Coordinates of all heavy atoms in Angstrom, one line a residue:
I94 N 107.4 95.6 95.5 CA 108.8 95.7 95.2 C 109.2 94.4 94.4 O 108.5 93.4 94.5 CB 109.7 95.7 96.5 CG1 109.2 96.8 97.5 CG2 111.1 95.9 96.2 CD1 108.3 96.3 98.6
R95 N 110.1 94.6 93.6 CA 110.6 93.4 92.8 C 112.1 93.3 92.8 O 112.8 94.3 93.0 CB 110.1 93.4 91.4 CG 110.7 94.5 90.4 CD 110.1 94.4 89.1 NE 110.8 95.3 88.1 CZ 110.4 95.5 86.9 NH1 109.3 94.9 86.4 NH2 111.1 96.3 86.1
Q96 N 112.6 92.1 92.5 CA 114.1 91.9 92.4 C 114.3 91.1 91.1 O 114.1 89.9 91.2 CB 114.6 91.3 93.6 CG 116.1 91.1 93.6 CD 116.7 90.8 94.9 OE1 116.1 90.1 95.7 NE2 117.9 91.2 95.2
P97 N 114.8 91.7 90.1 CA 115.2 90.9 88.9 C 116.4 90.0 89.2 O 117.2 90.3 90.1 CB 115.6 92.0 87.9 CG 114.9 93.3 88.3 CD 114.9 93.1 89.9
P98 N 116.6 89.0 88.5 CA 117.7 88.1 88.8 C 119.1 88.8 88.7 O 119.3 89.5 87.7 CB 117.6 87.0 87.7 CG 116.7 87.6 86.6 CD 115.8 88.5 87.3
G99 N 119.9 88.6 89.7 CA 121.2 89.2 89.8 C 121.2 90.7 90.0 O 122.3 91.3 90.0
K100 N 120.1 91.3 90.3 CA 120.0 92.7 90.6 C 119.4 93.1 91.9 O 118.9 92.1 92.7 CB 119.2 93.4 89.5 CG 119.7 93.3 88.1 CD 118.8 93.9 87.0 CE 118.8 95.4 87.2 NZ 118.0 96.1 86.1
G101 N 119.4 94.3 92.3 CA 118.9 94.7 93.6 C 117.4 95.0 93.5 O 116.7 94.8 92.5
L102 N 116.9 95.3 94.7 CA 115.5 95.6 94.8 C 115.0 96.8 94.1 O 115.7 97.8 94.1 CB 115.1 95.7 96.3 CG 115.3 94.5 97.2 CD1 115.1 94.8 98.6 CD2 114.4 93.3 96.8
E103 N 113.9 96.7 93.4 CA 113.3 97.9 92.7 C 111.9 98.1 93.3 O 111.0 97.2 93.3 CB 113.2 97.6 91.2 CG 114.5 97.4 90.5 CD 114.3 97.0 89.1 OE1 113.1 96.9 88.6 OE2 115.3 96.9 88.3
W104 N 111.7 99.3 93.8 CA 110.4 99.7 94.3 C 109.5 100.0 93.2 O 109.8 100.8 92.3 CB 110.5 100.9 95.3 CG 109.2 101.4 95.8 CD1 108.5 100.8 96.8 CD2 108.6 102.5 95.4 NE1 107.4 101.6 97.1 CE2 107.4 102.6 96.2 CE3 108.8 103.6 94.5 CZ2 106.5 103.7 96.1 CZ3 107.9 104.6 94.4 CH2 106.7 104.6 95.2
I105 N 108.3 99.5 93.2 CA 107.3 99.7 92.1 C 106.3 100.8 92.5 O 106.0 101.7 91.7 CB 106.6 98.4 91.8 CG1 107.5 97.3 91.3 CG2 105.5 98.6 90.8 CD1 106.9 95.9 91.3
G106 N 105.7 100.7 93.7 CA 104.8 101.7 94.1 C 104.0 101.3 95.3 O 104.4 100.2 95.9
Y107 N 103.1 102.1 95.8 CA 102.4 101.8 97.0 C 100.9 102.2 96.9 O 100.6 103.1 96.1 CB 103.1 102.4 98.3 CG 102.9 103.9 98.4 CD1 101.6 104.4 98.8 CD2 104.0 104.7 98.3 CE1 101.5 105.8 99.0 CE2 103.8 106.1 98.5 CZ 102.6 106.6 98.8 OH 102.5 108.0 99.1
I108 N 100.2 101.7 97.8 CA 98.8 102.2 98.0 C 98.7 102.4 99.5 O 99.1 101.6 100.3 CB 97.7 101.2 97.5 CG1 96.3 101.8 97.6 CG2 97.8 99.8 98.2 CD1 95.3 101.1 96.8
G109 N 98.1 103.6 99.8 CA 98.0 104.0 101.2 C 96.7 103.6 101.9 O 95.8 103.1 101.2
Y110 N 96.6 104.0 103.1 CA 95.4 103.6 103.9 C 94.1 104.2 103.4 O 93.1 103.7 103.5 CB 95.6 104.0 105.3 CG 95.8 105.5 105.5 CD1 94.7 106.4 105.8 CD2 97.1 106.1 105.4 CE1 94.9 107.7 105.9 CE2 97.2 107.5 105.5 CZ 96.1 108.3 105.8 OH 96.3 109.6 105.9
S111 N 94.2 105.4 102.7 CA 93.1 106.1 102.1 C 92.8 105.6 100.7 O 91.8 106.1 100.1 CB 93.3 107.6 102.2 OG 94.3 108.0 101.3
G112 N 93.6 104.8 100.1 CA 93.5 104.4 98.7 C 94.4 105.2 97.8 O 94.4 104.9 96.6
S113 N 95.1 106.1 98.3 CA 96.0 106.9 97.4 C 97.1 106.0 96.9 O 97.6 105.1 97.6 CB 96.6 108.1 98.2 OG 97.3 107.7 99.3
T114 N 97.6 106.3 95.7 CA 98.7 105.5 95.2 C 99.8 106.4 94.7 O 99.6 107.6 94.4 CB 98.2 104.7 94.0 OG1 97.6 105.6 93.0 CG2 97.1 103.7 94.4
Y115 N 101.0 105.8 94.6 CA 102.2 106.5 94.1 C 103.0 105.4 93.5 O 103.3 104.3 94.0 CB 102.9 107.2 95.2 CG 104.0 108.1 94.7 CD1 103.7 109.4 94.2 CD2 105.3 107.7 94.7 CE1 104.7 110.2 93.8 CE2 106.3 108.5 94.2 CZ 106.0 109.7 93.8 OH 107.1 110.6 93.3
Y116 N 103.6 105.8 92.3 CA 104.3 104.8 91.5 C 105.7 105.3 91.2 O 105.9 106.5 91.1 CB 103.6 104.5 90.2 CG 102.2 104.1 90.4 CD1 101.1 104.9 90.0 CD2 101.8 102.8 90.9 CE1 99.8 104.6 90.2 CE2 100.5 102.5 91.0 CZ 99.5 103.3 90.7 OH 98.2 102.9 90.8
S117 N 106.6 104.3 91.0 CA 107.9 104.7 90.5 C 107.8 105.4 89.1 O 107.1 104.8 88.3 CB 108.8 103.4 90.4 OG 109.9 103.7 89.6
P118 N 108.3 106.5 88.9 CA 108.2 107.2 87.6 C 108.6 106.4 86.4 O 108.0 106.6 85.4 CB 109.1 108.4 87.8 CG 109.1 108.7 89.2 CD 109.1 107.3 89.9
S119 N 109.5 105.5 86.6 CA 110.0 104.7 85.5 C 109.0 103.7 85.0 O 109.1 103.2 83.8 CB 111.3 104.0 85.8 OG 111.1 103.1 86.9
R120 N 108.0 103.3 85.7 CA 107.0 102.4 85.4 C 105.6 102.9 85.6 O 104.6 102.1 85.4 CB 107.2 101.1 86.2 CG 108.4 100.3 85.8 CD 108.7 99.2 86.8 NE 109.3 99.7 88.0 CZ 110.6 100.0 88.1 NH1 111.4 99.8 87.1 NH2 111.0 100.5 89.3
K121 N 105.5 104.1 85.8 CA 104.1 104.7 86.2 C 103.1 104.5 85.1 O 102.0 104.2 85.4 CB 104.3 106.2 86.4 CG 103.0 106.9 86.8 CD 103.3 108.4 87.1 CE 102.0 109.1 87.5 NZ 102.2 110.6 87.8
S122 N 103.5 104.6 83.8 CA 102.6 104.5 82.7 C 101.9 103.2 82.5 O 100.8 103.1 81.9 CB 103.2 105.0 81.4 OG 104.3 104.1 81.1
R123 N 102.5 102.1 83.1 CA 102.0 100.8 82.9 C 101.7 100.1 84.2 O 101.6 98.9 84.2 CB 102.9 100.0 81.9 CG 104.3 99.8 82.4 CD 105.1 99.2 81.3 NE 106.5 98.8 81.8 CZ 106.8 97.6 82.2 NH1 106.0 96.6 82.2 NH2 108.1 97.4 82.6
T124 N 101.7 100.8 85.3 CA 101.5 100.2 86.6 C 100.2 100.7 87.3 O 99.9 101.9 87.2 CB 102.7 100.5 87.5 OG1 103.9 100.1 86.9 CG2 102.6 99.9 88.9
S125 N 99.5 99.8 87.8 CA 98.3 100.1 88.6 C 98.2 99.3 89.9 O 98.4 98.1 89.8 CB 97.1 99.9 87.8 OG 95.9 100.2 88.5
I126 N 98.0 100.0 91.0 CA 97.8 99.3 92.3 C 96.5 99.6 92.8 O 96.0 100.8 92.8 CB 98.9 99.7 93.3 CG1 100.3 99.3 92.8 CG2 98.7 99.0 94.7 CD1 101.5 99.8 93.7
S127 N 95.7 98.6 93.1 CA 94.4 98.8 93.6 C 94.2 97.9 94.9 O 95.1 97.2 95.3 CB 93.4 98.5 92.5 OG 93.5 97.1 92.1
R128 N 93.0 98.0 95.4 CA 92.7 97.2 96.6 C 91.3 96.8 96.7 O 90.4 97.3 96.1 CB 93.1 98.0 97.9 CG 92.2 99.3 98.1 CD 92.6 100.0 99.3 NE 91.7 101.2 99.6 CZ 91.7 101.9 100.6 NH1 92.6 101.7 101.6 NH2 90.8 102.9 100.8
D129 N 91.1 95.7 97.6 CA 89.8 95.3 97.9 C 89.8 95.2 99.4 O 90.3 94.3 100.1 CB 89.5 93.9 97.3 CG 88.1 93.4 97.6 OD1 87.5 93.9 98.5 OD2 87.7 92.5 96.9
T130 N 89.2 96.3 100.0 CA 89.2 96.4 101.5 C 88.4 95.3 102.2 O 88.7 94.9 103.3 CB 88.7 97.8 101.9 OG1 87.4 98.0 101.4 CG2 89.6 98.9 101.4

């Protein structure tokens, strides 16, 4: 999640327990979440 100055919280995306990911559509094309278990 992020919070730009003077603005509210913006959810970016998540990674789940199985490694599945889901992104905010507004930033999906340039966002990647990964993990190192």
Side-chain angles (χ1 to χ4, degrees):
I94 308 99
R95 72 182 187 183
Q96 185 169 29
K100 299 179 67 177
L102 296 170
E103 298 178 354
W104 178 75
I105 298 170
Y107 74 73
I108 187 164
Y110 62 94
S111 68
S113 62
T114 55
Y115 190 81
Y116 307 107
S117 169
S119 63
R120 288 170 287 277
K121 181 179 180 179
S122 64
R123 60 190 186 96
T124 303
S125 179
I126 300 174
S127 58
R128 66 180 184 172
D129 185 339
T130 58

